[in-house]
Amino acid sequence: ETGVTQSPTHLIKTRGQQVTLRCSSQSGHNTVSWYQQALGQGPQFIFQYYREEENGRGNFPPRFSGLQFPNYSSELNVNALELDDSALYLCASSPPQGPNTGELFFGEGSRLTVL
Amino acid sequence: DQQVKQNSPSLSVQEGRISILNCDYTNSMFDYFLWYKKYPAEGPTFLISISSIKDKNEDGRFTVFLNKSAKHLSLHIVPSQPGDSAVYFCAAIKGNQFYFGTGTSLTVIP
């Protein structure tokens, strides 16, 4: 069983640039969520995708956007990068019965540094 | 607005003793509560959960207690082992959204 994989693992961007992060969900999982974890903080919910539609969004501005593809993989796009966007971005997938049972399966994360 | 709080950033415990990690929350509408463990350079992994209608759930060395009147959640690890050294996040679910605490770094001393 293949787990959640994310790419790239590390990247450096400058302020104002755009970034795309990618996530392959665990086999059989149709729901993907994205989280931002700043240094010393817990993961903060960005949004969730279910069957290619956004299915919930946290308190993040519209320059954070996403996609989910028919194979349930997902992208997180961030436009007009700001210094405060520097963080670990975590992708998590959950099985068809939904995340409300409590278990998310996380990838290792993509560490974004904005200079 | 931090709806889930872990007020102890770190905890050190001797091997074989009990580790108690604490978590407080503000929203009485949460459906489920969970604990995740995170090792460096890895994503968080699920440890144990409890429904809001229960007050205790046990899984091997790990027990989660829920005190709804106090809006307090705790994780007990007995006996603690060096491999338990990690950052522990408590989380709460409302609808399809997870709310995480800031984490407690547990060190189990051999």
Side-chain angles (χ1 to χ4, degrees), chain A residues 83-98:
Chain A
L83 298 179
D84 285 349
D85 295 334
S86 296
L88 180 68
Y89 288 85
L90 293 163
C91 170
S93 70
S94 46
Q97 63 265 33

Side-chain angles (χ1 to χ4, degrees), chain B:
Chain B
D1 178 26
Q2 192 74 23
Q3 297 193 44
V4 177
K5 298 177 185 178
Q6 293 175 257
N7 293 318
S8 298
S10 62
L11 174 68
S12 290
V13 171
Q14 207 70 32
E15 180 179 4
R17 305 295 289 269
I18 184 171
S19 295
I20 300 176
L21 295 98
N22 294 303
C23 179
D24 297 298
Y25 62 94
T26 57
N27 191 334
S28 58
M29 300 301 290
F30 286 132
D31 303 309
Y32 266 87
F33 301 88
L34 313 93
W35 287 93
Y36 280 80
K37 180 166 77 171
K38 186 179 186 300
Y39 293 117
E42 294 184 11
T45 55
F46 171 77
L47 193 57
I48 192 169
S49 66
I50 187 168
S51 165
S52 60
I53 62 173
K54 306 275 189 183
D55 54 21
K56 177 182 174 182
N57 187 27
E58 193 171 350
D59 183 3
R61 297 186 297 114
F62 303 92
T63 303
V64 57
F65 294 92
L66 176 62
N67 182 333
K68 287 185 285 293
S69 60
K71 294 191 178 69
H72 181 79
L73 186 72
S74 63
L75 173 68
H76 292 207
I77 306 174
V78 183
S80 301
Q81 300 173 353
D84 296 330
S85 297
V87 177
Y88 289 78
F89 292 98
C90 70
I93 306 174
K94 182 169 174 293
N96 62 358
Q97 187 164 342
F98 282 60
Y99 298 82
F100 284 86
T102 52
T104 296
S105 178
L106 173 66
T107 302
V108 180
I109 304 163

Side-chain angles (χ1 to χ4, degrees), chain A residues 10-49:
Chain A
H10 294 82
L11 70 166
I12 299 173
K13 292 284 189 178
T14 56
R15 198 169 46 182
Q17 285 189 310
Q18 178 267 343
V19 69
T20 297
L21 308 177
R22 295 177 176 84
C23 172
S24 293
S25 61
Q26 184 156 325
S27 177
H29 289 187
N30 60 2
T31 302
V32 172
S33 305
W34 285 91
Y35 288 81
Q36 180 196 66
Q37 186 180 8
L39 199 62
Q41 301 296 314
Q44 298 287 315
F45 176 70
I46 302 175
F47 43 55
Q48 180 189 91
Y49 277 83

Side-chain angles (χ1 to χ4, degrees), chain A residues 23 25-26 28-32 49-53 67-75:
Chain A
C23 172
S25 61
Q26 184 156 325
H29 289 187
N30 60 2
T31 302
V32 172
Y49 277 83
Y50 172 68
R51 293 187 176 180
E52 303 175 57
E53 298 280 335
L67 283 173
Q68 187 181 31
F69 300 99
N71 66 355
Y72 305 132
S73 66
S74 178
E75 285 183 357

